[in-house]
Amino acid sequence: MRHLLSILLIFSFGHIAKSQKQPGLSSKSDTSIITIKTKLNIPFGTIATLQVEVYDGDSLQMKGYEGTYLFKVNSVNGKAINDSLLLTFTDETDELPNDDFSLYKLTYGNTEKSLTSTQVDKMKKKYVGKMFTLMAYETGHFTGMPNDYFNYRLIRADRSFHFEHYLVVVSILTK
């Protein structure tokens, strides 16, 4: 009798579990399923030949880009980019600085705790606008503060929650 009762309970539980809708699955009105598209129009992590120009982050007039350098992508695998496409980058070759302090270290061979605007302007003249052909891939990560974050933590300055695209340079073909 115990075996029969066990079988009935197992069957009943399995039937109930199947009939209940599981949250987050296949709802056509579900907005939590979002596809993130690449900026380069090739799959994330695909190494490509890029023609880029060094762009001064200060000229964007945005606090988050002050003292940084970005790449203006002019072509991907020989295909021209018609719109302005600016992306931040990391450089695994250690030859392309992405901020003022890295540029100073590469230029002068030592580090500084602070830089004057005269020092920065002098370095920028030789770096900003410079063109490179390089091998790189697009990747990214989520950053910023999600909704309701401040219900649990102290308020602090940050951007809203979003996906941030960037390039990873693996080789410089021409300088």
Side-chain angles (χ1 to χ4, degrees), residues 53-100:
E53 178 182 343
V54 177
Y55 193 87
D56 183 3
D58 290 342
S59 65
L60 293 173
Q61 305 282 322
M62 296 173 68
K63 185 83 170 156
Y65 294 112
E66 286 181 10
T68 67
Y69 302 100
L70 299 92
F71 283 146
K72 179 181 180 219
V73 180
N74 295 322
S75 72
V76 178
N77 291 329
K79 185 178 177 186
I81 303 288
N82 296 328
D83 297 329
S84 289
L85 175 58
L86 296 174
L87 289 170
T88 57
F89 65 94
T90 60
D91 176 36
E92 294 184 352
T93 70
D94 294 327
E95 295 181 46
L96 297 170
N98 59 7
D99 63 46
D100 291 337

Side-chain angles (χ1 to χ4, degrees), residues 15-16 23-24 34 37-38 52 77 99 111 123 131 136:
H15 182 69
I16 291 169
I34 297 173
K37 296 182 179 184
T38 63
V52 300
N77 291 329
D99 63 46
T111 58
M123 293 185 306
M131 306 282 247

Side-chain angles (χ1 to χ4, degrees), residues 54-168:
V54 177
Y55 193 87
D56 183 3
D58 290 342
S59 65
L60 293 173
Q61 305 282 322
M62 296 173 68
K63 185 83 170 156
Y65 294 112
E66 286 181 10
T68 67
Y69 302 100
L70 299 92
F71 283 146
K72 179 181 180 219
V73 180
N74 295 322
S75 72
V76 178
N77 291 329
K79 185 178 177 186
I81 303 288
N82 296 328
D83 297 329
S84 289
L85 175 58
L86 296 174
L87 289 170
T88 57
F89 65 94
T90 60
D91 176 36
E92 294 184 352
T93 70
D94 294 327
E95 295 181 46
L96 297 170
N98 59 7
D99 63 46
D100 291 337
F101 289 97
S102 300
L103 181 57
Y104 186 89
K105 183 176 182 181
L106 188 68
T107 304
Y108 299 108
N110 58 349
T111 58
E112 288 290 325
K113 291 184 180 180
S114 66
L115 298 172
T116 66
S117 59
T118 305
Q119 289 173 306
V120 171
D121 291 343
K122 183 179 176 183
M123 293 185 306
K124 280 183 184 183
K125 286 179 185 176
K126 295 179 183 177
Y127 189 55
V128 173
K130 201 168 181 182
M131 306 282 247
F132 296 96
T133 301
L134 45 87
M135 301 302 291
Y137 63 92
E138 181 181 353
T139 189
H141 60 260
F142 287 95
T143 187
M145 297 291 163
N147 292 340
D148 300 328
Y149 179 86
F150 301 120
N151 292 342
Y152 306 96
R153 305 294 300 171
L154 294 175
I155 294 176
R156 63 185 173 109
D158 204 338
R159 295 179 287 174
S160 61
F161 192 72
H162 66 284
F163 187 82
E164 186 172 78
H165 300 258
Y166 65 96
L167 297 173
V168 177

Side-chain angles (χ1 to χ4, degrees), residues 4-23:
L4 182 58
L5 185 57
S6 297
I7 292 171
L8 283 173
L9 284 174
I10 291 170
F11 178 74
S12 297
F13 179 75
H15 182 69
I16 291 169
K18 283 183 184 178
S19 67
Q20 291 181 348
K21 182 175 176 4
Q22 294 180 351

Side-chain angles (χ1 to χ4, degrees), residues 30-37 44 142 161-163:
D30 187 0
T31 59
S32 68
I33 301 171
I34 297 173
T35 302
I36 299 172
K37 296 182 179 184
F44 284 109
F142 287 95
F161 192 72
H162 66 284
F163 187 82

